[in-house]
Amino acid sequence: MARGDYEEEEHHPPLLQTSPNNHNLNLTGTVWTAVAHIITAVIGSGVLSLAWSVAQVGWIAGPLSLLIFGLITLVSAYFICDIHLYFDPKNGNTTMNQSYLQAIYTVLGYKNGLACACVFYFTIFKTGVVYIITSATSMRAIMQSNCYHEQGHDAACEFEDWYYMLIFGIIQIVASQIPDFFHTKWLSIIAAIMSFTYSFIGIGLGLAQVIEQGEIKGSITGISTTNPTQKVWLVAQAIGDIAFSFNIAVILLEVQSSLKSPPSQKVTMKKASTIAIFTTTIFFLCCAASGYAAFGDLTPGNLLTGFGFYEPYWLVDFGNACIVLHLVGGYQVYTQTIFAIVERWYAETFPESTFAKDTQSMKVSSLPEFKLNPLRLCFRTTYVVLTMAVGMLFPYFNEVLAFAGSIIFWPLTIYFPVEMYFVQKKVIPWSRKWIILRICTISCLLVTIFSLVGSIEGLITKRFGYSL
């Protein structure tokens, strides 16, 4: 099919079109660059909370929950890959959906697109907030590890998170000047390498501690508590943390649009999704199991921050440094999407504005030439500052992860992909396939609501000291 047969991009509302038209770009993406993008998005801050999550629900329910969420995510990814090219029988047009929002608008209509946009914008923003919190936690852990090593385990090694959030924010203000998503390939590859590195370090440290103490800690039912109600809230938060860890739906179509063909982009993307999700699920299981086995009821919310007294201390420092480097790239993989949304909207709304068109070149020493755009500089700087401000207001790692995961997982990974699948495959209502998918959708919704209530309780308790 010729490129001209695709529906033109400008028919889509700017706020529902998250990527620039790349039909004429020389696409170079392969299955391995796609795997790198997905791993960068998935193995992020969420992996650090999984040992704590398993600790809340125990040795059976914990690993089983990870496997179930991994399977659901893979099926959802297949549904989303199928919608990259959509033939509309009403007008006979074939649309290449280059973004998740565009796909919702094209397949399910404007109202669903608008509803999805609200969740989508929240998803991108909360990811930036979580990454800022996580990076600050890891930088603080490095300082504490060094402090304990130099001054002893009884030293008062306490550091403020806001200072490290500020440092990470400044780094992101600079990194955010990267023009668009298609220029982040090198950043994703570095970030993917970092994610593998700190995952292996976390697994290795956990196993080393298990061997040193000569026992596997933990229990079938998870952490015991004298307050049954509090146990329920902790289980709910654990489910939210696990859901957050499998948050990849929003970037799949953009990654797929960067792939070269032949083979077809759909075939390559399904292969990449399978490799990436299988790999990350195994990593999640290893990190969660080794952390829980090492710490038991004392499993920390952030796995690598639990090795503050561990020697060699430099290994803990290196693992946390890898987390920070990974999050620098992960932040950009997500936020470049929302940058494209706003800048595209501004350019189409104010086509004569020099604020969006003016570009100045900068050259610093032997570094490559750097181009600055007024709109890009002002908007992206403001955005980073806002994510940093929210992170400083709610610097609670596990609770924020659980809240974000419970808000976004069901609509973006379950509901919208299933609804698009029904339309794409013309699934007949009340057929066996329709009933099975509806039951799964409703079941996931109930679990999500349970997790949301628990995460809100955790945030209220941490912020205001009041338990529901």
Side-chain angles (χ1 to χ4, degrees):
M1 183 175 292
R3 290 291 190 192
D5 293 335
Y6 295 126
E7 185 179 350
E8 292 297 322
E9 297 287 348
E10 54 264 24
H11 292 304
H12 300 283
L15 294 179
L16 297 183
Q17 170 61 41
T18 64
S19 296
N21 188 331
N22 73 333
H23 292 170
N24 297 321
L25 291 179
N26 183 22
L27 303 179
T28 59
T30 65
V31 63
W32 297 114
T33 61
V35 168
H37 277 305
I38 297 172
I39 289 177
T40 300
V42 180
I43 303 184
S45 56
V47 69
L48 303 172
S49 69
L50 293 179
W52 180 89
S53 299
V54 171
Q56 309 312 310
V57 295
W59 274 118
I60 295 179
L64 184 61
S65 297
L66 287 169
L67 291 173
I68 291 173
F69 273 92
L71 178 61
I72 291 172
T73 302
L74 181 59
V75 173
S76 175
Y78 275 30
F79 288 173
I80 295 171
C81 293
D82 284 337
I83 214 70
H84 187 234
L85 288 180
Y86 173 67
F87 175 77
D88 189 346
K90 295 181 181 179
N91 53 32
N93 290 330
T94 297
T95 301
M96 177 180 284
N97 294 308
Q98 297 187 76
S99 71
Y100 190 90
L101 276 183
Q102 182 188 351
I104 300 297
Y105 170 75
T106 302
V107 181
L108 301 179
Y110 180 78
K111 290 183 178 180
N112 279 289
L114 196 60
C116 180
C118 295
V119 181
F120 180 86
Y121 297 146
F122 171 80
T123 300
I124 302 298
F125 186 83
K126 65 81 198 165
T127 300
V129 172
V130 168
Y131 281 11
I132 284 176
I133 295 172
T134 310
S135 62
T137 302
S138 292
M139 285 189 274
R140 175 169 52 82
I142 293 174
M143 298 301 296
Q144 286 181 322
S145 176
N146 292 341
C147 177
Y148 289 135
H149 176 75
E150 294 174 1
Q151 301 181 26
H153 294 175
D154 295 327
C157 298
E158 297 297 330
F159 302 91
E160 295 291 337
D161 282 343
W162 69 266
Y163 175 76
Y164 303 105
M165 291 183 187
L166 183 61
I167 293 175
F168 187 81
I170 292 172
I171 294 172
Q172 287 304 330
I173 288 173
V174 176
S176 293
Q177 300 311 307
I178 296 173
D180 53 49
F181 182 83
F182 300 102
H183 288 81
T184 63
K185 180 171 68 174
W186 61 273
L187 203 56
S188 285
I189 293 173
I190 294 173
I193 294 172
M194 292 299 101
S195 65
F196 276 109
T197 303
Y198 71 71
S199 294
F200 276 124
I201 291 174
I203 294 170
L205 290 176
L207 291 176
Q209 187 147 324
V210 170
I211 294 172
E212 181 181 348
Q213 65 196 12
E215 66 172 325
I216 296 176
K217 295 185 178 181
S219 64
I220 298 298
T221 57
I223 293 176
S224 57
T225 175
T226 56
N227 187 339
T229 302
Q230 188 61 27
K231 175 69 173 180
V232 171
W233 296 138
L234 291 173
V235 170
Q237 291 175 33
I239 293 173
D241 284 355
I242 294 173
F244 178 86
S245 301
F246 288 95
N247 175 32
I248 63 169
V250 295
I251 70 163
L252 288 176
L253 289 176
E254 289 175 313
V255 174
Q256 190 168 346
S257 297
S258 70
L259 301 176
K260 64 181 179 181
S261 59
S264 71
Q265 291 174 314
K266 181 172 72 173
V267 171
T268 302
M269 194 61 194
K270 285 188 175 181
K271 183 178 179 181
S273 299
T274 303
I275 295 172
I277 294 173
F278 176 80
T279 302
T280 53
T281 302
I282 295 300
F283 266 132
F284 287 172
L285 284 168
C286 292
C287 287
S290 61
Y292 184 36
F295 293 104
D297 284 3
L298 300 178
T299 301
N302 182 329
L303 178 59
L304 280 179
T305 62
F307 296 98
F309 302 136
Y310 190 86
E311 296 290 348
Y313 75 99
W314 59 265
L315 186 59
V316 178
D317 290 354
F318 181 66
N320 280 293
C322 288
I323 293 173
V324 176
L325 288 174
H326 172 255
L327 296 182
V328 169
Y331 188 103
Q332 289 303 312
V333 168
Y334 276 102
T335 55
Q336 283 292 339
T337 299
I338 204 167
F339 292 160
I341 295 172
V342 174
E343 290 167 12
R344 181 183 175 94
W345 168 82
Y346 186 91
E348 293 185 5
T349 306
F350 306 101
E352 303 301 324
S353 174
T354 57
F355 189 62
K357 295 180 178 179
D358 186 31
T359 302
Q360 300 293 330
S361 298
M362 290 185 61
K363 180 72 174 177
V364 179
S365 184
S366 59
L367 295 176
E369 187 178 63
F370 198 71
K371 295 185 178 181
L372 287 178
N373 173 270
L375 174 62
R376 187 189 304 160
L377 180 63
C378 293
F379 168 68
R380 298 186 182 193
T381 300
T382 302
Y383 178 89
V384 173
V385 170
L386 285 175
T387 58
M388 191 166 48
V390 175
M392 291 179 179
L393 185 62
F394 293 98
Y396 313 119
F397 180 72
N398 292 97
E399 290 77 14
V400 170
L401 253 65
F403 178 76
S406 58
I407 287 285
I408 65 177
F409 186 81
W410 183 79
L412 298 184
T413 305
I414 307 296
Y415 176 75
F416 286 120
V418 168
E419 293 300 313
M420 288 192 291
Y421 179 81
F422 284 159
V423 175
Q424 173 89 331
K425 301 298 183 181
K426 299 180 177 62
V427 177
I428 299 173
W430 300 108
S431 63
R432 184 173 65 178
K433 183 181 294 185
W434 187 92
I435 292 173
I436 291 173
L437 288 176
R438 282 289 184 221
I439 292 174
C440 291
T441 301
I442 294 172
S443 300
C444 290
L445 175 61
L446 295 175
V447 172
T448 298
I449 293 173
F450 170 64
S451 175
L452 178 61
V453 174
S455 64
I456 292 175
E457 191 278 340
L459 284 173
I460 292 175
T461 301
K462 282 291 184 68
R463 184 61 184 172
F464 304 105
Y466 174 75
S467 181
L468 296 180

